[in-house]
């Protein structure tokens, strides 16, 4: 064998395990999902080609309620961007200022990210429990008995009750990313601004925040795509109920697949999710570019 | 940029005075806020630990938030035995360990080909792998489920290990590339002169020097598998094969009115992660930062 063929052979051997995994589990299935989405299929019997009917039904059928589920996840996305990220940024800016106990606070605030969402969900199930949950117990004890609710069982409160732990759990994640950025700002620059009489607020506004913009972009993208994909906590807390009040696209997808055996429709939802995630990522990239 | 366009500060004396004043009150407010957030983050975990050691009488009224009066370790025994937590725990370990191993091998080899070997399409291939960072696991759930069921691989460890490894791969390659580019290419050159081939360089030079990267990837991948619910829930329905997240769901259905064992199960699932976090907090945080910021 010539040296060149040996080199090529080695190259292929090095790439092979990764490529097999990646193409076999990610790329080929995406193509297949797209393919299935054009069929009426129960997963086992023959497939019936129906063109874009699944997509049409998805967006027009009230029985499926995709638009409502999508609306819920977009609401979560908005709350993530306008509530969760500001809290994270605030914490990152405070800790990045080298205050006392910085490392300790950082480590504690990051902790919920590491805990399994199922564990967090189970904990909050107990917190929200109507009769014994700590939330209602505390409300009763401080004389606000009229505020107690069946938090996860009432359509009006269930969505909020699902969102609260979701937002809470990942504050620490975004805070950590932003903190890393804040720490990357040169201390000299900060010092110089301070000597010129800038307040902490002004330093943050004019020096720190502009220089961590790339990280803010990543955080916004993660927050939005994460909201679109959200599943675990809602599955544990309500599984879309009561009366579909907390349905999100992922819970719909799972129900389509495993309760109604509609594999074509389940694939259609999967495809919509991928398209939406990529579309939002592109949109946010564009928005951040325009601002520069 | 904007800082330079500001009006020159003519009242620096007054400004400085103001800075000090706001700083003082500000400082107190800052710490109140941080303390409050600390409480919000630690309380659920504290509560979980305490109610895992209580009986219903304490949890449901006598002693809702205090330390347990009688430390009821039997909750742990029932979670482990009747609740099968010991099986789920071992399953989670097996799945996580195999996933980490496969991810590491595939990522190290691919990264070596992508960053050290000279070939035309290396950049394009790297970009191709990086698509994996944005693909949600939902994308492949239907085809993987159908395929696994056709080849009768549902309800096996592999049904989770292979998808987990595939989805961890992009991040692992990303982290690997960062570390591998820090290894000077002169080392490869020297080894080549000494008669090493590409495999020799890979095994004798690169792999030993990549240890810190392995730890970072290992931690990151471990957390992904340990906590994953959607695949685990769908691909493995047999009790003997469930991982912790699915097992906890099953157990909580079984013990709806007896909270102690559920608390114990939650602690059992969380304890290893928190234990490692106490010793490796910085490294764990770095692994999350490395993944997000370079991506």
């Amino acid at each position: 064998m010539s040296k060149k063929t040996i080199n090529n052979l080695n190259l292929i051997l090095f790439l092979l395990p990764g490529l097999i995994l990646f193409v076999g589990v990610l790329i080929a299935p995406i193509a297949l999902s797209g393919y299935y989405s054009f069929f009426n299929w129960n997963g086992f019997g023959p497939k019936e080609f129906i063109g874009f009917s699944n997509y049409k039904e998805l967006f027009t059928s009230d029985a499926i309620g995709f638009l409502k589920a999508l609306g819920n996840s977009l609401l979560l996305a908005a709350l993530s961007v306008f509530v969760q990220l500001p809290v994270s940024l605030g914490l990152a800016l405070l800790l990045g200022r080298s205050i006392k106990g910085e490392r300790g606070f950082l480590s504690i605030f990051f902790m919920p990210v590491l805990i399994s969402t199922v564990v967090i969900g189970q904990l909050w199930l107990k917190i929200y429990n109507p009769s014994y949950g700590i939330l209602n117990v505390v409300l009763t004890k401080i004389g606000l008995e009229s505020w107690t609710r069946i938090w996860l069982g009432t359509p009006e409160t269930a969505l909020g009750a699902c969102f609260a732990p979701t937002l809470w759990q990942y504050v620490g994640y975004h805070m950590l990313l932003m903190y890393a950025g804040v720490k990357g700002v040169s201390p000299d620059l900060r010092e110089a601004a301070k000597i010129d009489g800038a307040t902490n607020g002004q330093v943050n506004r004019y020096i720190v925040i502009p220089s961590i913009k790339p990280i803010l972009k990543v955080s916004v993208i993660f927050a939005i795509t994460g909201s679109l994909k959200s599943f675990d906590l809602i599955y544990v807390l309500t599984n879309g109920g009561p009366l579909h009040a907390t349905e999100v696209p992922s819970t719909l997808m799972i129900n389509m697949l495993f309760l109604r055996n509609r594999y074509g429709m389940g694939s259609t939802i999967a495809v919509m999710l991928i398209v939406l995630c990529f579309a939002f990522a592109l949109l946010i990239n564009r928005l951040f570019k325009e601002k520069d | 940029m904007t800082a330079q366009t500001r009006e020159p500060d003519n009242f620096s004396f007054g400004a400085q005075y103001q800075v000090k004043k706001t700083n003082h009150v500000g400082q107190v407010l800052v710490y109140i806020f941080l303390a409050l957030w600390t409480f919000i983050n630690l309380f659920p975990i504290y509560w979980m630990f305490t109610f895992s050691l209580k009986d219903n009488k304490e949890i449901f009224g006598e002693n809702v938030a205090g330390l347990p009066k009688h430390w009821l370790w039997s909750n742990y025994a029932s979670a482990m035995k009747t609740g099968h937590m010991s099986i789920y725990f071992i399953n989670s370990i097996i799945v996580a360990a195999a996933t980490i191993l496969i991810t590491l091998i595939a990522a190290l080899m691919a990264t070596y080909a992508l960053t050290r070997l000279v070939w035309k399409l290396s950049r394009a291939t790297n970009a191709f792998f990086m698509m994996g960072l944005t693909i949600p696991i939902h994308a492949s759930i239907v085809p993987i489920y159908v395929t696994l069921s056709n080849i009768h691989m549902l309800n096996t460890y592999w049904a989770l290990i292979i998808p987990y490894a595939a989805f961890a791969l992009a991040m692992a390659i990303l982290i690997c590339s960062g570390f591998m580019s820090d290894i000077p290419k002169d080392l490869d050159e020297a080894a080549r002169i000494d008669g090493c081939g590409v495999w020799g360089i890979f095994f004798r030079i690169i792999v030993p020097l990549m240890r810190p990267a392995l730890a970072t990837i290992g931690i990151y991948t471990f957390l992904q598998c340990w906590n994953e619910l959607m695949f685990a829930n769908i691909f493995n329905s047999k009790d003997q094969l469930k991982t912790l997240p699915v097992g906890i769901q099953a157990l909580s259905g079984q013990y709806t009115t007896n909270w102690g064992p559920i608390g114990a199960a939650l602690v059992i699932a969380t304890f290893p992660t928190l234990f490692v976090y106490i010793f490796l907090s910085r490294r764990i945080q770095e692994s999350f930062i490395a993944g997000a910021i370079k991506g």
Side-chain angles (χ1 to χ4, degrees), chain A residues 2 226 262 281:
Chain A
S2 75
R262 292 193 60 181

Side-chain angles (χ1 to χ4, degrees), chain A residues 7 10-11 13-15 17-19 21-30 32-33 36 41 43-44 87 90-91 94-95 97 99-101 103 105-119 122-127 129 132-134 137 141 168 171-173 176-177 180-181 194-200 202 205-207 210 215 218 222 228-232 235-236 250 253-254 257-258 263 266-267 270 273-274 277-278 281, chain B residues 1-3 6 9 15-16 19 22-23 27 30-31 33-35 37-38 40-45 47-48 51 59-61 64-65 102 105-106 109-110 112-114 117 119 125 128-132 134-147 149 162-163 165-167 169-170 198-199 202 220 223 226-230 233-234 244-246 248-249 252 259 262 266 269-270 273-274 277 281-282 284-286 288-289 292-293 295:
Chain A
N7 275 346
N10 280 332
L11 181 66
L13 282 178
F14 270 111
L15 283 173
L19 274 182
L21 272 180
F22 193 70
V23 174
V25 180
L26 273 84
I27 304 299
I30 289 184
L32 269 177
S33 287
Y36 291 159
W41 185 37
F44 303 97
V87 173
L91 290 169
L94 286 178
L95 295 182
R97 231 195 262 163
I99 61 164
K100 235 186 211 157
R103 285 286 321 162
F105 284 123
L106 188 76
S107 294
I108 291 169
F109 298 167
F110 186 65
M111 217 152 64
V113 182
L114 301 172
I115 298 175
S116 158
T117 322
V118 172
V119 172
Q122 287 292 342
L123 265 179
W124 283 78
L125 270 181
K126 305 279 173 275
I127 291 174
N129 184 292
Y132 308 115
I134 204 143
V137 168
K141 274 205 178 137
W168 164 73
V171 162
Y173 176 68
L176 180 74
L177 300 189
K194 279 277 181 79
I195 289 168
D196 287 347
T199 61
N200 274 325
Q202 286 167 331
R205 168 82 182 75
Y206 295 109
I207 295 174
I215 293 172
V218 172
F222 281 5
L228 288 171
K229 295 185 283 184
S230 61
F231 172 75
D232 292 13
Y235 179 78
V236 175
S250 306
M253 181 182 83
I254 297 297
L257 295 175
F258 300 101
Y263 283 67
S267 302
L273 272 174
I274 308 168
C277 283
F278 275 101
Chain B
M1 34 190 127
T2 346
R6 275 180 62 232
D9 212 337
Q16 255 168 18
V19 170
T22 48
N23 256 355
Q27 204 75 337
V30 162
Y31 276 100
F33 177 63
L34 290 177
W37 194 252
T38 305
I40 293 173
N41 281 282
L42 286 184
F43 182 77
I45 297 164
W47 192 53
M48 170 174 82
F51 91 72
I59 302 170
F60 292 166
V64 178
I102 293 176
I105 294 171
M109 289 176 69
Y112 181 71
L114 292 170
L117 301 181
W119 49 298
T125 314
F128 176 66
F129 276 119
M130 287 308 111
M131 274 167 44
T134 33
I135 297 175
I137 64 168
H138 309 62
S140 53
I141 199 158
V142 185
I144 295 182
Y145 180 77
V146 172
T147 312
S149 117
I162 294 170
F167 275 96
L169 189 66
V198 278
W199 292 94
F202 178 70
Y220 196 85
L223 286 167
W226 195 258
N227 297 338
E228 205 280 333
L229 174 68
M230 195 191 265
N233 190 28
I234 292 165
L244 283 167
V246 193
I248 287 173
Q249 283 295 96
S252 85
W259 287 18
I262 300 179
L266 299 181
T270 312
T273 315
L274 290 186
Y277 185 56
S281 61
R282 208 172 266 256
I284 291 177
Q285 290 162 9
E286 275 162 10
F288 275 80
I289 294 170
I293 289 180

Side-chain angles (χ1 to χ4, degrees), chain B:
Chain B
M1 34 190 127
T2 346
Q4 288 146 0
T5 58
R6 275 180 62 232
E7 290 288 305
D9 212 337
N10 292 325
F11 345 87
S12 60
F13 189 73
Q16 255 168 18
Y17 176 68
Q18 241 181 357
V19 170
K20 280 229 165 105
K21 201 172 151 198
T22 48
N23 256 355
H24 202 71
V25 181
Q27 204 75 337
V28 176
L29 286 175
V30 162
Y31 276 100
I32 290 175
F33 177 63
L34 290 177
L36 196 70
W37 194 252
T38 305
F39 175 79
I40 293 173
N41 281 282
L42 286 184
F43 182 77
I45 297 164
Y46 157 84
W47 192 53
M48 170 174 82
F49 271 98
T50 53
F51 91 72
S52 78
L53 290 164
K54 293 175 183 172
D55 59 9
N56 272 357
K57 230 167 75 193
E58 281 194 65
I59 302 170
F60 292 166
E62 269 179 21
N63 179 17
V64 178
L67 285 170
K69 281 180 205 141
H70 315 283
W71 292 55
L72 218 67
W73 291 103
S74 60
N75 284 340
Y76 282 81
S78 42
M80 278 301 210
K81 277 188 207 133
T82 352
H84 304 306
M85 280 303 282
S86 47
I87 303 175
Y88 306 146
F89 194 90
I90 293 167
N91 288 340
S92 273
I93 299 252
I94 292 172
V95 169
T99 305
I100 291 170
L101 191 71
I102 293 176
T103 309
L104 285 178
I105 294 171
L108 271 177
M109 289 176 69
T111 311
Y112 181 71
L114 292 170
T115 62
R116 306 301 259 213
L117 301 181
V118 186
W119 49 298
K120 255 192 216 150
L121 292 173
S122 61
R123 268 167 182 265
T125 314
N126 191 45
F128 176 66
F129 276 119
M130 287 308 111
M131 274 167 44
L133 293 173
T134 33
I135 297 175
I137 64 168
H138 309 62
S140 53
I141 199 158
V142 185
I144 295 182
Y145 180 77
V146 172
T147 312
L148 287 172
S149 117
N150 284 341
I151 57 175
H152 302 290
M153 278 208 6
L154 287 175
N155 293 316
T156 59
Y157 289 128
W158 294 109
L160 296 181
I161 294 167
I162 294 170
Y164 285 175
F167 275 96
L169 189 66
M171 186 65 86
I173 291 179
L174 181 72
I175 297 173
C176 258
S177 307
F179 279 90
M180 219 180 265
S181 62
D182 289 345
I183 301 174
K185 290 222 162 114
D186 299 351
L187 283 179
D188 299 31
E189 210 47 53
R192 208 187 324 274
I193 291 164
D194 289 345
C196 270
V198 278
W199 292 94
I201 296 171
F202 178 70
F203 281 113
R204 295 208 196 133
I205 314 270
I206 303 290
V207 173
L209 287 173
M210 288 293 282
R211 253 182 237 148
L214 302 190
T216 305
I217 298 166
I219 291 167
Y220 196 85
T221 312
F222 168 81
L223 286 167
Q224 305 302 317
C225 323
W226 195 258
N227 297 338
E228 205 280 333
L229 174 68
M230 195 191 265
F231 279 1
N233 190 28
I234 292 165
F235 297 162
N236 276 354
S237 51
K238 271 201 192 132
D239 228 17
Q240 300 94 313
L241 291 164
K242 280 178 182 157
T243 52
L244 283 167
V246 193
I248 287 173
Q249 283 295 96
L251 184 127
S252 85
Q254 202 179 327
Y255 285 96
T256 37
T257 50
N258 194 0
W259 287 18
I262 300 179
L266 299 181
V267 173
I268 292 166
T270 312
F271 176 75
T273 315
L274 290 186
F275 187 75
V276 174
Y277 185 56
I278 288 168
F279 294 102
L280 291 173
S281 61
R282 208 172 266 256
R283 171 139 266 164
I284 291 177
Q285 290 162 9
E286 275 162 10
S287 76
F288 275 80
I289 294 170
I293 289 180
K294 285 174 196 156

